Amino acid sequence: MYQKDEDILTDIVFGEAILALLRGDAPVSNASLIQQLQHMAAVEKIPARQRACQLAIAEVKNNRPAPPKPVTHRVRGRDNIHLFTSEGPPDGAKKH
């Protein structure tokens, strides 16, 4: 199988997985798409389609957005500097 044929089959498998989620009235997210593709790979009998499912899973996993970077704001008071982050206080620390 040529690389192009493999890419086409991977796109087809992606489409089938998304359609299955939509028809099942399931949410379409990275997690649900990976789960659907894993199910499709498990029941698939044709090796080329199994490989396409695995490639599609890898593609979804590799294209996940990175977690947002924490934002820190420095506020200068009269006597000292205060740092505020978007992550909140460390575990076990008081919030107030």
Side-chain angles (χ1 to χ4, degrees), residues 34-96:
I34 289 170
Q35 188 176 25
Q36 179 64 34
L37 287 165
Q38 287 171 337
H39 171 72
M40 289 170 61
V43 299
E44 185 59 60
K45 304 281 190 250
I46 302 169
R49 287 183 57 86
Q50 284 179 336
R51 171 87 176 129
C53 289
Q54 295 302 325
L55 290 172
I57 291 167
E59 191 170 328
V60 172
K61 287 181 178 180
N62 290 335
N63 288 322
R64 285 187 178 168
K69 293 182 182 178
V71 177
T72 303
H73 297 283
R74 264 179 97 174
V75 178
R76 186 174 200 122
R78 275 197 263 167
D79 300 327
N80 51 18
I81 297 173
H82 305 280
L83 296 176
F84 298 93
T85 67
S86 61
E87 295 176 334
D91 291 338
K94 291 184 178 181
K95 294 183 181 180
H96 298 60

